[in-house]
């Protein structure tokens, strides 16, 4: 069995392993991706539901879009899959730091046991108040009539999600981790959305080994040291096993 770990990788516990994940890692848990043929953007235009301008223009439509996805995520059939579980094992058993930076707004990494985690595009199960800036854990439907538990005002709550044209979260912390990374791993992302899609070029410029684990070559596939293509629930556990075996 050919190892999927780049030959040049020395298990250097002093430098973090940085793992970027996208919608593909959650596909086998039953959550839609965005750009697959049956993906979210095949059913609705991102300009109509995933920008602040869309929210101002038609808040009811945007709330309905995220309410449907929130209910879907809270469906008991949606569970972390072997790929999420393998990344939690890597964090537990790797001698150095493992940081998961996810573009996903689901909570499957947390539920699999990952703790060192950044949701750079926000979280579907949180709401933020435009009046008082408070962020609340939120599992119910949102709407303009819903009052903020913090300031008590209505018509201010929005999904705690980064829309197109908005600044992703914790970019400085992500940049510092990429600067120090001993290995960059990208899982289940098509490499279409920036700045996340630019991370592989940033690490390549520093000579950091990188691996793409994806169903098919992403937009940035040629920039990776190594690529393993297949279902995340198969290729990610194999990769973690090989990495931990040194
Ligand atoms: C920013 C939250 C500045 C919402 C998301 C004009 C104006 C302003 C900005 C721009 C502009 N033009 C371009 C931009 C930049 C823009 C951008 O990149 N647009 C794209 C469309 C060109 N980016 C932004 O606006 C970002 N902000 O630029 O601010 C800035 C920049 C730097 C520093 C500071 C400030 C904000 C982008 C965030 C938008 N919000 N999500 C929501 O979820 O509803 S993005 C959305 O796309 C999701 O987060 C998603 O995760 C992300 C990326 O998609 P993927 O995860 O890759 O999913 P996709 O379906 O594409 O691919 C899935 C892959 O999995 C496929 O390759 C498939 O083969 C694979 N797969 C499928 N099944 C499996 C599998 N792999 C393994 N196993 C399987 N079973």
């Amino acid at each position: 069995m050919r190892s999927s770990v780049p030959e040049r990788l020395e298990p250097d516990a002093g430098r973090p392993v940085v793992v970027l994940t996208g919608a593909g890692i959650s596909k086998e848990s039953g959550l839609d991706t965005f750009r697959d043929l049956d993906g979210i953007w095949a059913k609705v235009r991102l300009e109509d539901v995933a920008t602040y301008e869309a929210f101002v223009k038609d808040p009811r439509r945007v709330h309905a879009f995220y309410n449907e996805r929130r209910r879907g995520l809270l469906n008991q059939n949606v569970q972390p899959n072997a790929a999420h579980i393998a990344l939690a094992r890597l964090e537990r058993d790797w001698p150095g730091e493992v940081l998961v930076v996810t573009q996903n707004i689901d909570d499957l990494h947390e539920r699999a046991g990952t703790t060192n985690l950044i949701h750079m595009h926000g979280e579907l199960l949180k709401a933020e108040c435009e009046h008082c800036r408070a962020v609340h854990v939120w599992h119910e439907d949102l709407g303009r009539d819903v009052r903020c538990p913090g300031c008590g005002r209505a018509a201010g709550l929005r999904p705690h999600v980064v829309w197109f044209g908005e600044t992703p979260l914790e970019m400085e912390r992500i940049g510092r981790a990429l600067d120090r990374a001993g290995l960059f791993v990208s899982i289940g992302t098509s490499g279409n959305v920036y700045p996340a899609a630019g991370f592989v070029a940033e690490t390549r410029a520093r000579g950091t080994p990188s691996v793409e684990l994806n169903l098919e070559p992403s937009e940035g596939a040629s920039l990776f040291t190594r690529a393993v293509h297949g279902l995340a629930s198969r290729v990610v556990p194999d990769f973690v096993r090989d990495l931990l075996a040194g």
Side-chain angles (χ1 to χ4, degrees):
M1 167 76 182
R2 196 159 71 105
S3 165
S4 60
V5 177
E7 293 76 11
R8 289 191 295 116
L9 175 72
E10 299 79 35
D12 174 357
R15 299 171 64 193
V17 175
V18 178
V19 183
L20 173 69
T21 65
I25 199 171
S26 297
K27 173 83 172 188
E28 291 162 270
S29 295
L31 296 179
D32 285 342
T33 61
F34 289 87
R35 292 168 188 83
D36 285 336
L37 292 178
D38 60 346
I40 292 171
W41 299 146
K43 299 162 189 148
V44 63
R45 292 174 67 246
L46 70 87
E47 294 80 3
D48 293 335
V49 293
T51 67
Y52 187 70
E53 293 73 20
F55 184 60
V56 170
K57 180 182 172 193
D58 191 348
R60 191 184 311 276
R61 177 171 190 185
V62 174
H63 277 310
F65 174 67
Y66 286 97
N67 288 344
E68 181 186 354
R69 289 174 66 191
R70 189 181 302 104
R71 282 189 232 120
L73 175 57
L74 292 169
N75 180 313
Q76 63 182 12
N77 297 324
V78 174
Q79 297 295 331
N81 65 57
H84 298 103
I85 292 164
L87 289 182
R89 177 191 172 205
L90 180 64
E91 178 183 345
R92 190 185 64 235
D93 298 344
W94 180 253
E97 180 187 359
V98 175
L99 173 65
V100 175
V101 179
T102 187
Q103 300 173 88
N104 300 339
I105 61 176
D106 65 54
D107 64 341
L108 297 179
H109 282 302
E110 297 91 320
R111 286 163 57 191
T114 289
T115 60
N116 195 22
L117 173 66
I118 295 176
H119 278 278
M120 66 180 291
H121 292 163
E123 298 176 65
L124 186 55
L125 299 183
K126 288 183 180 173
E128 63 182 79
C129 178
E130 295 195 310
H131 300 311
C132 70
R133 310 314 308 169
V135 175
H136 308 282
V137 172
W138 206 273
H139 288 198
E140 291 73 34
D141 282 2
L142 273 175
R144 286 181 59 77
D145 58 329
V146 178
R147 290 186 178 280
C148 168
C151 67
R153 296 168 61 179
L157 288 172
R158 58 167 278 183
H160 180 58
V161 162
V162 177
W163 284 322
F164 288 94
E166 296 186 323
T167 302
L169 305 176
E170 302 209 56
M171 284 303 295
E172 284 185 15
R173 184 177 156 208
I174 295 169
R176 288 196 301 274
L178 291 173
D179 283 347
R180 296 169 37 237
L183 175 65
F184 175 67
V185 186
S186 178
I187 302 172
T189 181
S190 64
N192 273 290
V193 174
Y194 288 83
F199 292 168
V200 60
E202 284 181 48
T203 55
R204 182 184 177 89
R206 292 184 190 82
T208 305
S210 55
V211 184
E212 168 172 273
L213 307 177
N214 203 52
L215 188 61
E216 59 198 11
S218 71
E219 290 295 312
S222 62
L223 299 174
F224 288 89
T225 313
R226 168 68 60 87
V228 181
H229 295 133
L231 291 171
S233 64
R234 293 210 201 108
V235 299
V236 177
D238 287 354
F239 173 77
V240 167
R241 179 201 60 217
D242 295 348
L243 191 62
L244 291 175

